[in-house]
Amino acid sequence: MDREAREQYSVVIQAKDMAGQVGGLSGSTTINITLTDVNDNPPKFPQKNYQLYVPESAQVGKAVGKIKANDDDIGINAEIKYSITNGDGVSVFAISTDKDTREGIISLKRQLNYEKKKSYTLHIEGANTHLDPRFLHLGPFKDTTTLKIIIGDVDEPPAFSIDSYVMNVSENARIGTEVGTVTAQDPDSASSAIRYFIDRSLHGDKYFNIDANTGAIKTAKKLDREEMPWHNISVIASEVDNPSLLSHVSVMVQVLDVNDNPPELASDGDVVVCENSRPGQVIQTIRAVDKDDFANGPRFHFSLTTDLPSNPNFTLKDNEDNTASIFARRRKFSRTTQDLYHLPIVISDGGEPNLSSTSTLTLRVCACEHNGKVRTCHAEAFLSSAGLSTGALIAILLCVIILLAIVVLFITLRRSKKEPLIISEEDVRENVVTYDDEGGGEEDTEAFDIIALRNPAAAEELKFRRDVRPEVQRVPRQSPPSVLDNVDVQEFIKQRLIEADLDTSVPPYDSLQTYAYEGHGSPAGSISSLDSATTHSEQDYTYLCDWGPEFQKLAELYGESDRTT
């Protein structure tokens, strides 16, 4: 049976009883039979020769064509593996099997070049991967065919002679100095002319220019190795006949060093000199730095300036290892005499030609411990040198602060005691005032004013405490005015004492308030002229002299007034 000829069959089966005799009963059924496939058919290529066109611009790794062998079997019996058995294109092309379509996919392993080789011939084999030993006698289960690949010519961009360039140029070279040349050619047979230019989109700084026809790269600016030791530029080449075809190449330009920077001191701060330094003691070891390359830097040479007199304080020794040591030449340094010293030092490098510079080193005198540790470089070092320790200085400062606090407290208390006890001269209340000197008798009215006792109406407006200074003016209480003409003075004094005791707006200070009653009037009567019925010219004031010495001055005044009138 051959599945490839007919795969399915239908068989009708009938069964009869009574041994199939007449009168017996029967039944029938249909059986469908499907043949399974075996690998009994080898693969076959429809053609023995194939031809494929591939342009030289095809990308490496991409598929460039397909080929397929036929197999009448199905399933795993129809699986085919393709391979290139021989030919001149084994190193250029590769073939693989597509599992879904069972096609051979031809891909490119390396770039094609029409100018070097225009065609390739491949021998391709297709073989089954699963064989059945029962059918090996039917022949080899594989087939071969020949594939000729023709390379198509394509207009290609220019090709540089090498993949990248490295060039050198000295710094400070004159503008227009040639650095190097790049070359590119048209790989096509037409061999079109090439033009060069620099890609400015990647490098905005215009340090270099290029000759469009020759590819010569020249400097366009002064170069400084200390600023930029390497320059990376991209050169583009294009065909004159087809400017759209471009090629890029990287050019690395190294800037060679030139001895154009003098050496300098590497010290960042001042050098400390201890006050207790000894002659020959190393004060500091100094170093130098040079911005140039190592070939134009070390070895450094240190020396003192020769155009100045010999320094009596310090000397310098070149250690011949790119360092120098500064020594003290005398014993003891004092900050009170001089706290800063300046030492000019000449430093030269080992370049060709060598360069030198003069750097001034600042040396600061400081107070140090016995082990050389710096104690301080500030003004308090003077007191330390006089024999006062840090603890003694702190104790002195604390004593000064305490004394100042005591003085301030004493002044504050004294000012608080000197506040005047009497604020208003018209206060109706009396205070006990102590005088160190003897008063002036009845003519002395500075202690208190007794007018309020004679005129109680005047005391109604003034009710301030005289033993304290009021901070805010009190608003007089709105009380109905009393008729004082008919009020006895003793009753008035009693009323005021009660008000003073019940007043809650004053501080709780004790004060002595004295009120005296002097009677209803003087037996001499009134001395006012307002109640007199006579005129000034008719009034005689000579009787005032009879009243006593207290009215002597008043008699003289009225006598002069009368004469004047």
Side-chain angles (χ1 to χ4, degrees), residues 403-477:
L403 289 176
L404 291 176
I406 293 174
V407 171
V408 172
L409 182 60
F410 177 76
I411 294 174
T412 303
L413 294 175
R414 191 167 182 179
R415 286 182 177 178
S416 63
K417 291 182 179 180
K418 287 185 177 181
E419 292 183 357
L421 297 176
I422 301 175
I423 299 175
S424 176
E425 296 180 355
E426 299 179 357
D427 196 343
V428 298
R429 292 170 294 184
E430 295 183 359
N431 300 297
V432 176
V433 181
T434 302
Y435 292 92
D436 294 335
D437 56 341
E438 186 177 351
E442 296 181 359
E443 296 180 357
D444 188 358
T445 59
E446 294 182 0
F448 52 88
D449 191 358
I450 63 174
I451 298 178
L453 297 177
R454 299 183 180 276
N455 187 9
E460 188 66 23
E461 300 177 357
L462 300 172
K463 295 182 181 180
F464 301 106
R465 292 285 298 271
R466 300 186 62 186
D467 56 337
V468 295
R469 185 186 299 272
E471 297 182 357
V472 181
Q473 185 71 23
R474 293 176 51 198
V475 179
R477 289 172 296 181

Side-chain angles (χ1 to χ4, degrees), residues 17 36 78 113 163 197 201 206 285 308 357-358 435 451 489 534:
D17 56 7
T36 58
N113 191 339
D163 295 335
F197 55 96
S201 62
K206 190 176 180 181
T285 299
L308 296 177
S357 65
T358 301
Y435 292 92
I451 298 178
V489 175
T534 61

Side-chain angles (χ1 to χ4, degrees), residues 8 75 203 378 394-395 433 447 490:
Q8 293 184 348
H203 307 281
H378 298 289
I394 295 175
V433 181
Q490 291 183 347

